[in-house]
Amino acid sequence: MRYDCKAYFDRRDSLPAPKSGGSVWPRQSCPIFIPRKEHLPIEGSQCWFCRYADFHLKHPVALEVGICCWPDMQIE
């Protein structure tokens, strides 16, 4: 059985508040978004580009589902 994650990648959810300690998908966003230095302005305010989200971007393989670490910043 194959897992089809396309439905999740196509979602763009606006969260009402940060999900501290919870899972976040790349296209989700919330009101406390603070961009990283490497943020691309064309991408909007997605969790993938937020300083509070941990997607293991400095590891060899990034996570598809990150962890909201608000209020502790993860990456500049």
Side-chain angles (χ1 to χ4, degrees), residues 1-26:
M1 182 166 143
R2 281 188 85 199
Y3 176 71
D4 182 19
C5 58
K6 181 175 174 14
Y8 293 104
F9 288 128
D10 289 342
R11 291 171 52 182
R12 291 185 184 246
D13 296 332
S14 181
L15 304 171
K19 294 174 66 174
S20 187
S23 298
V24 291
W25 290 88

Side-chain angles (χ1 to χ4, degrees), residues 23-39:
S23 298
V24 291
W25 290 88
R27 294 183 180 258
Q28 287 182 323
S29 64
C30 80
I32 58 101
F33 173 82
I34 295 179
R36 299 184 189 121
K37 289 180 184 175
E38 298 85 19
H39 176 255

